Amino acid sequence: MIIFQKILYMKNMRFSLFVCLSGLMGIAKANNLTIGTPTVVGANLQFTISWDNSWNTATGPANYDAVWVFVKRQVCSGAQTWDHALLSTISANHSVTGGVLQVDAVPDGVGVFIRRSAAGNGNIASSTVTLALQTAANTADNFQVLGIEMVYIPTGNFIIGDGRAGGPYPYPFNGITITAATQAAGFASAGAYQTNGYGSSAALPATFPQGYNAFYCMRYEISQEQYVKYLNSLTFTQQNARTNISPASATGSWPIQTASPNNARNGIRIAAPGTAATIPAIYGCDLNVNGVFNEPADGQNLACNWLSWPDLLTYLDWSGLRPMTEMEFEKVCRGSGIPFVANEFAWGSTTILQATSGAVTNGGQGSELSTASGNGLCAYGSANITTFGPLRCGFAAGAATTRSQAGASYYGVLDMSGNVFEQCVGGYAFDYSSFNGLNGDGTITAAGLFNTANWPPAGGGQGGGIGRGGSFNSGVSVGLEISDRSQMTNNTNQAKQAIFGGRGVRVP
């Protein structure tokens, strides 16, 4: 028996091969998010949690951070696959010590949110969490407890578009206000929804998530370490579907890039090959290409690029999250009740300062920083995507940075402009009426694809996925502005591209 845990985010994790009946324990951090090794206590699962720079504020804006916690379970006597473990849907069945945090159950039992129970800010000391599983825990099984940092986006009116009927890019929204009434009634026609007829190919129903209602958004883009942990929880067949090469390829092979090794700063490699559709591969991070995996400078904390639309949606389904809509994207960036600023970036101004991966200190480490500093610091403008690539997730934010210096959205979400494109539900000629915002359920198909009903099946503007916010490769006025929709007819994210990554959201 082992009790095994992996934390999806930041800092360093030692890399080990694992099989049933062998031990493994690793720690990874974001804002020093740490989840201790889970243990079985009666029928429940117990572990410790701590993180830094937490907040809960009642004014300006009324929001808070949280950790989305979910559990994967492996029954060693069976097929030894990692399956999603459902949790109790009653908050009172879970507990956390210390008097600072609370555990919020969700209606589908796919995970829980752990957050501050009252207004306050600062570091969260180590607290013991006890989770009740729908199927009682037992000591013969293995468990992974995984955490993703989130930000609560409160209910409220907001504006999509920056008020311009034209602009330096096509297909603009023209300062439309989203309210309780628009969310409740939807939009009667495509023409009522956007300017110049570019947007939905059908009426927008009330079931489409316009962003008025509250939701959680990932604070950071998916990191390369997060994606490695996900790949390492899949079967051989599922891995094969989500990578460019067979999981049985040689140690050191590059599974998700489509170009030369280390292209665009993606360091994910095969650490141990799988075997003929029966034993999955083990993946790791090796940005410095020395054959030693998950060293401090191996890029675990870099935003994960080379993610296609199906890649992103499959990861989100597996995590119990869902893709955000392009309307929700603008809500996260601009905030509720805030007037638009023409040409604004995610930090609410038109000031921007270039950061590139060619000018960093502690490159590839959890402490990676740009050598530039100032207002509007943003990873953009790197024309050579062979040499340059994304930076560390949240690289511009520090303990004393302002919103503009950190490149933060109104609600404290990072890297919404630059680094890698956010892939959102939307795009020209997409029938918006087909997407009803269902959360992922933690499971994917045996073939390795998301299976939540009514999620857009194809990428690019023609199929339901639109790139928002720009990337490390974007020009200053193309893609980076939060109302820019120049990617809405671009179908390139059907395949893996160096500039595409993403993040997820979840309705509470």
Side-chain angles (χ1 to χ4, degrees):
M1 181 224 32
I2 65 169
I3 300 297
F4 169 75
Q5 72 90 20
K6 291 191 250 186
I7 311 305
L8 292 176
Y9 226 87
M10 303 304 250
K11 301 296 183 188
N12 310 317
M13 174 178 280
R14 291 193 176 276
F15 183 80
S16 304
L17 304 184
F18 66 92
V19 294
C20 282
L21 306 179
S22 68
L24 171 64
M25 184 268 189
I27 303 269
K29 304 176 181 178
N31 266 325
N32 293 318
L33 170 62
T34 302
I35 296 179
T37 304
T39 58
V40 174
V41 178
N44 299 327
L45 202 60
Q46 194 170 89
F47 56 90
T48 58
I49 190 169
S50 63
W51 73 95
D52 294 344
N53 304 312
S54 170
W55 78 91
N56 184 337
T57 178
T59 59
N63 81 313
Y64 49 83
D65 74 321
V67 178
W68 171 242
V69 173
F70 57 102
V71 177
K72 300 292 180 178
R73 182 176 194 158
Q74 183 187 61
V75 180
C76 283
S77 61
Q80 299 185 14
T81 57
W82 287 104
D83 300 316
H84 203 84
L86 293 177
L87 306 178
S88 172
T89 60
I90 301 172
S91 295
N93 288 344
H94 311 293
S95 65
V96 57
T97 63
V100 176
L101 300 174
Q102 67 182 60
V103 181
D104 294 341
V106 296
D108 58 10
V110 172
V112 296
F113 288 103
I114 300 177
R115 64 178 181 91
R116 283 181 174 269
S117 57
N121 62 78
N123 297 342
I124 299 294
S126 182
S127 305
T128 299
V129 180
T130 302
L131 297 183
L133 283 72
Q134 291 189 21
T135 300
N138 67 73
T139 56
D141 297 343
N142 301 329
F143 291 92
Q144 300 182 53
V145 177
L146 305 110
I148 299 177
E149 288 195 78
M150 309 289 285
V151 175
Y152 178 74
I153 312 299
T155 299
N157 296 359
F158 71 102
I159 298 172
I160 56 172
D162 58 10
R164 294 175 295 164
Y169 50 85
Y171 325 121
F173 290 129
N174 191 16
I176 299 171
T177 300
I178 302 300
T179 67
T182 66
Q183 182 64 77
F187 288 89
S189 68
Y193 163 48
Q194 79 290 314
T195 301
N196 299 332
Y198 291 104
S200 174
S201 61
L204 203 66
T207 53
F208 184 84
Q210 296 176 25
Y212 173 81
N213 295 324
F215 59 97
Y216 284 90
C217 178
M218 285 178 63
R219 190 178 185 195
Y220 305 98
E221 292 162 328
I222 299 165
S223 74
Q224 292 182 30
E225 181 177 53
Q226 282 181 303
Y227 205 70
V228 162
K229 304 312 171 194
Y230 152 74
L231 289 176
N232 285 342
S233 295
L234 304 183
T235 66
F236 185 103
T237 300
Q238 290 170 333
Q239 290 176 342
N240 194 48
R242 300 273 56 89
T243 57
N244 287 324
I245 59 174
S246 168
S249 299
T251 298
S253 299
W254 302 86
I256 71 172
Q257 299 176 19
T258 61
S260 61
N262 217 21
N263 185 284
R265 294 196 93 202
N266 191 293
I268 297 176
R269 304 177 74 188
I270 292 179
T275 304
T278 57
I279 300 174
I282 301 295
Y283 300 89
C285 293
D286 187 26
L287 186 69
N288 59 18
V289 201
N290 68 355
V292 181
F293 290 87
N294 296 328
E295 296 177 297
D298 274 335
Q300 295 95 316
N301 312 293
L302 304 184
C304 191
N305 52 350
W306 298 101
L307 299 185
S308 67
W309 181 246
D311 289 337
L312 174 64
L313 266 63
T314 305
Y315 173 84
L316 297 179
D317 199 4
W318 176 87
S319 302
L321 305 178
R322 69 159 171 83
M324 75 174 83
T325 68
E326 60 168 333
M327 302 166 90
E328 291 172 326
F329 171 87
E330 294 207 30
K331 168 79 169 287
V332 172
C333 293
R334 185 169 284 132
S336 179
I338 307 301
F340 59 74
V341 175
N343 309 313
E344 69 184 313
F345 303 108
W347 43 93
S349 77
T350 59
T351 299
I352 191 167
L353 177 65
Q354 185 185 45
T356 74
S357 61
V360 297
T361 58
N362 301 327
Q365 299 184 39
S367 57
E368 178 177 279
L369 293 172
S370 171
T371 57
S373 63
N375 291 329
L377 191 60
C378 177
Y380 82 96
S382 299
N384 186 341
I385 63 173
T386 300
T387 303
F388 293 93
L391 276 68
R392 174 177 62 85
C393 299
F395 73 95
T401 50
T402 65
R403 174 187 172 187
S404 182
Q405 291 168 338
S409 83
Y410 182 77
Y411 294 106
V413 177
L414 298 170
D415 300 326
M416 292 293 275
S417 288
N419 221 25
V420 290
F421 268 106
E422 312 296 337
Q423 299 185 67
C424 304
V425 176
Y428 176 60
F430 167 57
D431 182 358
Y432 284 63
S433 65
S434 66
F435 183 70
N436 55 14
L438 289 178
N439 294 318
D441 63 2
T443 64
I444 61 176
T445 69
L449 188 65
F450 65 95
N451 59 356
T452 298
N454 298 317
W455 283 15
Q462 301 296 327
I466 177 174
R468 287 296 215 113
S471 75
F472 66 88
N473 181 241
S474 297
V476 67
S477 62
V478 180
L480 298 169
E481 298 167 9
I482 65 173
S483 293
D484 183 284
R485 305 174 73 224
S486 57
Q487 293 289 315
M488 71 175 299
T489 60
N490 190 338
N491 205 38
T492 58
N493 65 338
Q494 273 278 65
K496 300 179 190 299
Q497 295 286 326
I499 57 177
F500 286 106
R503 74 183 84 210
V505 302
R506 190 175 223 276
V507 176

